[in-house]
Amino acid sequence: MRWVKRVGAGLLWLVVLLCLAIAAVPDFLDARYYRGPISGHFDGEHFFNPDGSDDALSPRGGMGTMLRYVTARDNRPVWPDRVAVTPTRPPARVDGDRMLATWVGHATVLVQTQGLNILTDPVWSKSAGPFGIGPSRVAEPGIRFADLPKIDLVLVSHDHYDHMDLATLSKLWNRDRPLIVTSLGNDSVIGQAGVPARALDWGGEVAVRPGVSVVVNRSHHWDSRWFADRNRALWSGFVVRLPGGNLFFAGDTGAGDLQWANQAGSYGPIRLALIPIGAFRFTAGQMAAGSHIGPVDAVEVFRRLGAAHAIAIHWGTFRLSYEGWDTPPRLLAAAEACTNQRGFSAVRIGRTMEIPAFAPQPPRPAMTRGGLLRCLDTAAVAALR
């Protein structure tokens, strides 16, 4: 009986400790990255999307679907283990209105114009996650870090590991001392690596030099580094105002009300837009996740921006979702054909594009999402997994 009592007492203490852990661990992992006044997207504790409460990936089927995805038991399409990449060596500078853009991979793009080297969401790490745990690259960076020219401006859209890589930001800061622009709260996270950043609210603008500035633009997303710190920092896209036509970087975003695209276009003509097209399918046939647009919504973003040119990002580097490796660009091509649009390109990692001088774009006719989906209801599109 004494042995039974000891076992019972041990089990009781185990239950108590477990309950304490459940109650205490989230608070321990939580963090206050930002303190400021309540606004239309900040309740004093957490940020939120003003166009809806959709602040997480939304696979059909809820947790069961997510569990099957995490354990790779969802009959997902096979991805290649490795994708061949031929890294490029960009020039040190590109002066005047000439513009070069090199897709490094995922949401990392080097844009060179006006004597400035601009880098978006720089990630050179081999995996996207804490302690090296997370999705691994299937494609090496399109520019070796050693071949990267001196960077003047870095845009960081939010704190997810596939967009905010503290190791890369630390290397960039130690080497180049660039201006790092982000949205509220993310400066606190970046500061953990000893790197200073300039954080602004949506609509905030910071001068880079005379005639060049960065506007922080609304997006539809969420953020977290440790799950328990959800939405303690803000997510955003950016408009870089440039004499030869603006650069738009969407960051990571779902569609929401899509008014963020209209807002970005209101800051002036957009010469080049960097628009995500991947991580949109978590079950067969799904065309968007709550916080990720796919090609169907990406072409509407392109239309609303009135951009002269766009490069597709956020696909083919880290496996984050269900769709096949090359489904995003193939579906993008079909969506462009349906909407009769031109100028939105899916390029290979490491390719440098010469972006033509800006020319005013005629208005592109709108197509409803339902109409586009009906146009895409073909055997060829249905075969895309």
Side-chain angles (χ1 to χ4, degrees):
M1 288 296 295
R2 185 176 300 173
W3 177 81
V4 172
K5 287 182 179 179
R6 286 179 179 175
V7 171
L11 290 173
L12 178 61
W13 276 110
L14 184 62
V15 171
V16 171
L17 290 172
L18 180 61
C19 291
L20 288 172
I22 292 172
V25 168
D27 290 334
F28 175 74
L29 291 178
D30 199 357
R32 289 290 298 270
Y33 300 139
Y34 171 76
R35 297 179 189 273
I38 292 173
S39 72
H41 49 274
F42 182 65
D43 63 9
E45 296 284 340
H46 300 89
F47 293 95
F48 59 91
N49 292 306
D51 53 352
S53 60
D54 182 15
D55 67 347
L57 299 177
S58 302
R60 299 171 191 158
M63 288 302 297
T65 297
M66 185 59 77
L67 181 61
R68 287 191 296 274
Y69 171 75
V70 171
T71 57
R73 295 169 56 200
D74 54 2
N75 193 33
R76 68 183 67 175
V78 175
W79 267 44
D81 292 329
R82 286 288 179 268
V83 175
V85 172
T86 303
T88 190
R89 181 173 291 179
R93 297 279 172 190
V94 174
D95 295 322
D97 287 346
R98 187 180 177 219
M99 178 183 281
L100 298 182
T102 305
W103 187 34
V104 179
H106 201 54
T108 307
V109 182
L110 172 66
V111 179
Q112 300 178 277
T113 188
Q114 303 293 333
L116 288 170
N117 291 327
I118 305 166
L119 201 57
T120 65
D121 283 355
V123 177
W124 262 261
S125 290
K126 293 185 179 298
S127 61
F131 312 116
I133 302 171
S136 297
R137 286 181 176 274
V138 301
E140 292 300 310
I143 302 172
R144 296 185 181 93
F145 192 88
D147 293 333
L148 197 63
K150 184 179 187 300
I151 300 301
D152 306 294
L153 174 63
V154 176
L155 309 176
V156 180
S157 63
H158 65 301
D159 70 5
H160 284 158
Y161 287 90
D162 58 321
H163 293 260
M164 182 191 287
D165 180 12
L166 295 183
T168 296
L169 290 171
S170 180
K171 289 175 68 176
L172 283 168
W173 175 253
N174 291 333
R175 194 191 73 167
D176 297 339
R177 294 294 197 268
L179 170 63
I180 300 174
V181 180
T182 188
S183 43
L184 297 177
N186 292 299
D187 54 329
S188 176
V189 185
I190 297 171
Q192 295 172 13
V195 177
R198 182 75 181 272
L200 294 90
D201 201 353
W202 291 340
E205 186 168 3
V206 58
V208 178
R209 70 179 194 201
V212 179
S213 62
V214 178
V215 180
V216 177
N217 196 65
R218 178 164 73 92
S219 65
H220 184 94
H221 204 57
W222 61 291
D223 90 287
S224 176
R225 298 285 280 186
W226 291 100
F227 298 104
D229 64 348
R230 179 181 291 272
N231 297 348
R232 290 296 201 179
L234 187 59
W235 44 93
S236 66
F238 304 89
V239 176
V240 182
R241 288 176 141 166
L242 295 160
N246 294 346
L247 167 68
F248 171 69
F249 171 49
D252 198 358
T253 185
D257 63 7
L258 285 173
Q259 288 302 311
W260 49 268
N262 298 65
Q263 291 167 0
S266 72
Y267 292 110
I270 295 175
R271 180 177 179 182
L272 175 63
L274 308 175
I275 304 174
I277 65 167
F280 66 91
R281 181 170 286 174
F282 285 80
T283 58
Q286 189 174 2
M287 288 297 190
S291 53
H292 286 164
I293 59 174
V296 169
D297 294 304
V299 293
E300 174 63 9
V301 171
F302 182 52
R303 185 193 71 82
R304 289 181 179 232
L305 292 170
H309 305 278
I311 293 176
I313 61 171
H314 205 268
W315 70 274
T317 306
F318 298 106
R319 176 151 202 175
L320 304 175
S321 54
Y322 181 100
E323 74 266 10
W325 176 78
D326 63 349
T327 290
R330 293 170 68 185
L331 184 56
L332 175 65
E336 277 200 283
C338 281
T339 55
N340 196 29
Q341 296 191 88
R342 300 290 183 273
F344 192 171
S345 304
V347 301
R348 68 178 184 274
I349 293 174
R351 179 185 171 189
T352 298
M353 287 188 66
E354 178 101 28
I355 308 302
F358 177 80
Q361 300 300 298
R364 300 180 178 114
M367 176 180 282
T368 67
R369 196 174 195 275
L372 177 52
L373 290 175
R374 286 190 293 274
C375 179
L376 291 171
D377 187 13
T378 66
V381 170
L384 296 177
R385 296 189 61 204

